[in-house]
Amino acid sequence: MPMRVRVQRPRRPGPSPRYRDAWGSRGAGAAVLLGLALVIGAPTGTGARPAGIRVMGATSLVPFLIATASRWHVAHPTSPEVHVAAGGSLAGIYQLERGTVDAAASDIPPSAVLGRAAAGWGALVLGRLPVVLVVHPGVGVTRVSRQNLAGLLTGRVRSWQELGGAAENVVVVTRGLGSGSLWVMQHQVLGGTPLTDRAVVQWSNGAVLKTVAATPGAIGFVDSGFVRRSVVVLGLGGAMYQPRDPARWPLFATAGLYWRQRGTPALTAFVQFAARQPDRTRFGIVGEEATPHEERSPRARGAPVGRDGRPRGLDGWPDGLAGGGHS
Amino acid sequence: MAGLTGWLVVDTLSLLSRVGVAPVLLGFHFQPQHGRFGLLPFVWGSVVVGVLALVVSVPLAVAWAVVATKRISGRASSAMTTAMTALVAIPSVVWGWWGLATVVPAVRGVLGGPGFGLVAAGVTVAIMVVPTVAALAAESLLAVPASLEDASRALGADEDTTLVAVTLTAARPGLTRAVLMGEARVLAETMAVAMVVGGQPVARLQIAWPGATLTTGLLTHLTALPPASAGGRAVATMALLLLVGTGWLARHLRRLGRAS
């Protein structure tokens, strides 16, 4: 007689009957929440702002841009919202070239980076950003010549004692590639020579300042708006940075807002609004009257350019940094 | 994933064909603004930080796991296990901050120099991964059958001999997996390392001085170098090297999983 074997099917994993009701009610709850999220998140017919204006670039200009954007939102409640993102001058320029942002805030001229590709871009020069030399309070030196500064930054001067200061080894603190203040040092002080490869690289003005304040023998450079009492400001030759008279300080970057050829009416309006802001000095931006103009190519500025129209020599970044050049 | 890898391979081949294999893979300097694309500093930095992290973290983590699971019991053991879990959850930026406040000055005081460097980065991430490795090691120690340890004691072995000859030996595959998991986290760590490493892309033997790793190189150069340029392709090559390194570790982890 054949034996009948009853095979019991394994139970499917899942909630036990005890919890089944609870699972059901949770599912319903999740559906309600999803529905609410869709309703709340949907764009409303009235009172909604149009697509925003995206601005990206130099961290030193971000405080000014955020303050300007806040005022813009108050003054123009129905105009597009302005979104400001840091990332560095180079990042802003490259993102503008690629069309992922509407405007770039930079303290490096776009034509020095992109050459002809940036010719015709709209530009608003906001003013000068003095780049100030700061040292640890214990170095015992308050003033250096340009030659000594170059020696310190390139690693030729190893100890502050060589300049009549304390017996402390020199520690150079610098910003990373793409920083406007580094660009100023390399082009206005070092003539294109790289900084010492023993320098500590920091991401932001604030990080440079903190590192200089905490590291014996440290020297760094920051935008003037970031100087604090925890460090000593170093004089250069006959000049000493004075917050009341910043225009006399010889080391500075030119801060600007840049946009591609066909800016939207909202962008144009925002740029004109930024140009009218009177208190730029509060954010460390000094000097020139802000007037929108057209960015010129390096050739038009009389700077050396290669066959592809990209800048060459000290005026610009060589090939390793140059982008695709599409515009 | 395949698409990303393919894109990285294409960019890498493009860079190697333009600049050359040796200047890229064996070059001591990464200065894209001067046409130098040596990636050795980043590879060297990753290796040094990885080895330092291993040397510092493994003894601490295994000791912690042994004490928590085999030497104490009751509330003290529970408290140590809870502490492990809690510390695992601390974000890496907090560990970086801690490294900035304590490890950098300590390295400056002991070894001289600015304090920022590969040593500071290695010590910071080593302490960061100790709870992770300890938690995984504790799991593998608890999985060792008590009967094995009882048999060892019955044969006259003392506690230390039992621990070394029986418990740790039996738990070796799990312990190795814990160490490799910790190492994978060290290699992939970006924020904590970037805060203390000094960011200088130069390969040198003085590891107390500023350096860079593959992850910090990616972080700092990704936005500064446009994708279509040689610099951008160098960044893609860094990412590919990192993928290859972590892929190699993952392969070993899988092999260990099958073996145990």
Side-chain angles (χ1 to χ4, degrees), chain A residues 38-132:
Chain A
L38 286 173
V39 170
I40 294 168
T44 52
T46 56
R49 285 174 180 272
I53 299 169
R54 298 155 300 174
V55 185
M56 185 183 186
T59 50
S60 49
L61 294 175
V62 164
F64 166 73
L65 289 170
I66 287 176
T68 305
S70 301
R71 290 178 192 153
W72 164 261
H73 295 155
V74 172
H76 304 85
T78 56
S79 295
E81 218 167 315
V82 178
H83 306 284
V84 179
S89 294
L90 277 188
I93 290 169
Y94 290 136
Q95 296 306 323
L96 179 61
E97 190 199 17
R98 298 177 73 190
T100 50
V101 297
D102 302 299
S106 173
D107 45 11
I108 301 173
S111 53
V113 181
L114 300 175
R116 270 202 304 244
W121 282 13
L124 169 71
V125 174
L126 295 167
R128 291 177 172 190
L129 279 173
V131 180
V132 179

Side-chain angles (χ1 to χ4, degrees), chain B residues 61-148:
Chain B
V62 173
W64 190 351
V66 166
V67 171
T69 58
K70 301 292 175 187
R71 287 290 183 262
I72 56 173
S73 57
R75 282 187 183 177
S77 170
S78 169
M80 284 191 82
T81 313
T82 308
M84 266 180 217
T85 317
L87 288 171
V88 166
I90 292 178
S92 57
V93 67
V94 176
W95 286 111
W97 192 8
W98 171 81
L100 214 51
T102 58
V103 179
V104 168
V107 171
R108 189 189 304 137
V110 174
L111 301 174
F116 292 86
L118 297 175
V119 172
V123 172
T124 302
V125 286
I127 302 300
M128 188 186 90
V129 299
V130 162
T132 307
V133 179
L136 294 168
E139 291 290 327
S140 52
L141 289 177
L142 285 172
V144 175
S147 57
L148 283 179

Side-chain angles (χ1 to χ4, degrees), chain A residues 197-199 201 318-319 321-322, chain B residues 18 33 198 200 204 206 225 229:
Chain A
D197 64 10
R198 292 189 157 210
V201 183
D319 195 36
L321 283 176
Chain B
R18 184 177 159 185
Q33 71 273 36
Q200 192 60 255
R204 60 175 143 232
Q206 299 138 308
L225 301 170
S229 69

Side-chain angles (χ1 to χ4, degrees), chain A residues 89-90 93-94 108-115 176-180 182-184 186-187 310-323, chain B residues 32-34 224-225:
Chain A
S89 294
L90 277 188
I93 290 169
Y94 290 136
I108 301 173
S111 53
V113 181
L114 300 175
L177 192 66
S179 145
L182 173 62
W183 197 81
V184 166
Q186 285 190 319
H187 293 82
R310 291 182 182 281
R312 288 288 179 272
L314 298 182
D315 192 53
W317 302 89
D319 195 36
L321 283 176
Chain B
Q33 71 273 36
H34 294 101
L225 301 170

